Amino acid sequence: MPFEIQHCLSSTGIKLRYGISTPDNARGHIFILQGRAEFIERYNETARDLAARQIGCVTFDFRGQGGSVRETPVPEMGYVGDVADYMDDAITIADHVQARHDISCPMLMTHSTGGLVGINLVLADPKRFASVLMISPFFDLNGPDWLVGLARVLSASLCKTGMDKKFLPGQKLLSPLQPFQPDNLLTSDQGRYERSFALLHKQPELMVGGVSAGWLHACFRAQEILDDQLTAANQEAAITKTTALPPITMVMSGDDRVVSNAATKRLFAKHPQVKLYEIAGARHEILHERDELRLQFWRIFTNHISHYHRGWAVASPAQVNMPPTEAAI
């Protein structure tokens, strides 16, 4: 296994599980923020891909998932009370790894919900990371407007009545332990899907199932204020002659039925610090997709580090014979 796994406590006593991958002759480390219901072991292949480029990584399980603390009576419920709690988790791990292991991570990489957390981290402190690469960022749900609107109203109503730690309707019986279906939302690669399936069968304590009212309402609240946050940050940057955000590359999945690419484009298509790419045919989990789609991602990754982390640029077997990258939007 590529990760050395350890635990630490936050300042408020939250137990968090984190993993460090440091290959020989590592040129640096990347800080990875996971998506909802993910866990360290799902990034084993990614860690090996990075190691082939002499790059290490640090990742951790957000509270409520993987091997970190669960805060609900039903452990498999996906829950957080506020996205600020996820931000606290990320800062706790980054600071702990720096202090305990003398590892700093100048680059942030995120997936899905991790992107929502990540954008809040860099808006709060644009200098915390030298650059950011986001994969399938979650800035709104995909789906018909009426259905997303209903989810907003329902999750808010349940939270107001003290039912934030209850499953949303239809979520209680959801489980990641489902056999591969060709039309699933996450990946078209059966082998990689079944690899994650096998990990959870081996370590069922890492599993997270359906979504709680609290988790969805927390994400909706964070998403609803993003426009205002970006506007305020841009105005402050103009006054101080600085930048509102570090350089950010966002990689969208062309066939994403989980998060809204339209929301990502609306928020960031014209932002001077953000470059958008879309990989046609990829579903929500690009890092678990078919090889030809993953190779497109790694080409975008290579382009990103060649611009913002030039000391990390190194030839590797994975960079040979890559197909052309989808054009930037």
Side-chain angles (χ1 to χ4, degrees):
M1 177 173 177
F3 286 103
E4 173 193 351
I5 295 181
Q6 298 191 33
H7 295 81
C8 73
L9 293 177
S10 73
S11 60
T12 56
I14 295 295
K15 185 179 180 181
L16 299 171
R17 176 177 181 257
Y18 67 94
I20 299 173
S21 169
T22 304
D24 293 339
N25 303 315
R27 294 167 178 253
H29 286 77
I30 291 173
F31 195 55
I32 300 175
L33 298 184
Q34 304 172 13
R36 192 193 85 86
E38 291 196 297
F39 48 92
I40 292 166
E41 289 82 353
R42 293 202 82 225
Y43 287 84
N44 285 347
E45 184 176 21
T46 300
R48 293 188 183 100
D49 289 337
L50 290 170
R53 295 163 170 79
Q54 297 178 12
I55 299 172
C57 61
V58 175
T59 189
F60 69 97
D61 300 338
F62 282 117
R63 68 181 72 193
Q65 61 191 58
S68 290
V69 69
R70 305 292 175 102
E71 300 180 294
T72 57
V74 182
E76 63 270 21
M77 177 185 293
Y79 174 81
V80 74
D82 196 306
V83 167
D85 293 339
Y86 282 161
M87 293 172 64
D88 287 343
D89 294 348
I91 293 169
T92 292
I93 297 298
D95 290 350
H96 176 82
V97 168
Q98 172 75 69
R100 178 71 181 273
H101 303 280
D102 194 26
I103 292 175
S104 61
C105 300
M107 176 176 164
L108 177 66
M109 188 162 82
T110 74
H111 175 244
S112 195
T113 306
L116 181 59
V117 180
I119 199 66
N120 278 275
L121 284 174
V122 297
L123 280 168
D125 183 2
K127 295 182 179 180
R128 176 172 281 275
F129 299 99
S131 81
V132 182
L133 192 155
M134 295 185 174
I135 306 165
S136 307
F138 176 35
F139 300 128
D140 202 356
L141 282 174
N142 195 1
D145 289 346
W146 68 268
L147 186 59
V148 175
L150 178 62
R152 290 180 186 278
V153 171
L154 182 59
S155 61
S157 298
L158 288 171
C159 288
K160 285 180 182 177
T161 56
M163 300 178 70
D164 58 317
K165 294 183 179 179
K166 298 291 185 182
F167 283 108
L168 286 168
Q171 293 287 310
K172 186 174 183 178
L173 298 179
L174 290 185
S175 168
L177 299 179
Q178 300 294 329
F180 178 81
Q181 298 293 333
D183 64 345
N184 77 85
L185 301 178
L186 302 181
T187 175
S188 59
D189 189 290
Q190 183 171 353
R192 288 187 172 93
Y193 180 100
E194 292 178 346
R195 191 181 303 161
S196 294
F197 185 91
L199 284 169
L200 286 175
H201 269 290
K202 186 177 180 180
Q203 296 176 272
E205 71 276 8
L206 300 178
M207 183 175 68
V208 168
V211 171
S212 66
W215 182 89
L216 189 58
H217 185 49
C219 291
F220 279 148
R221 292 201 314 272
Q223 291 164 355
E224 286 166 1
I225 63 173
L226 262 181
D227 273 313
D228 290 341
Q229 286 178 300
L230 287 165
T231 298
N234 289 333
Q235 290 173 344
E236 176 68 17
I239 293 170
T240 59
K241 299 187 185 323
T242 58
T243 56
L245 297 170
I248 301 177
T249 296
M250 294 186 183
V251 186
M252 297 174 291
S253 306
D255 192 18
D256 203 322
R257 291 173 285 157
V258 177
V259 305
S260 170
N261 289 340
T264 299
K265 294 173 186 177
R266 180 182 62 79
L267 286 164
F268 295 104
K270 295 182 180 180
H271 199 288
Q273 292 296 101
V274 179
K275 181 175 286 189
L276 299 182
Y277 292 88
E278 184 169 339
I279 298 179
R283 299 184 195 176
H284 184 58
E285 296 189 341
I286 294 173
L287 292 175
H288 296 271
E289 264 292 3
R290 304 189 312 275
D291 287 344
E292 60 267 29
L293 299 174
R294 294 181 78 254
L295 286 173
Q296 291 186 49
F297 165 78
W298 285 112
R299 181 164 185 148
I300 296 169
F301 175 93
T302 300
N303 183 65
H304 179 93
I305 65 169
S306 70
H307 280 85
Y308 309 120
H309 304 273
R310 294 182 180 178
W312 292 1
V314 58
S316 76
Q319 291 173 259
V320 177
N321 296 324
M322 286 187 173
T325 301
E326 290 295 305
I329 292 173

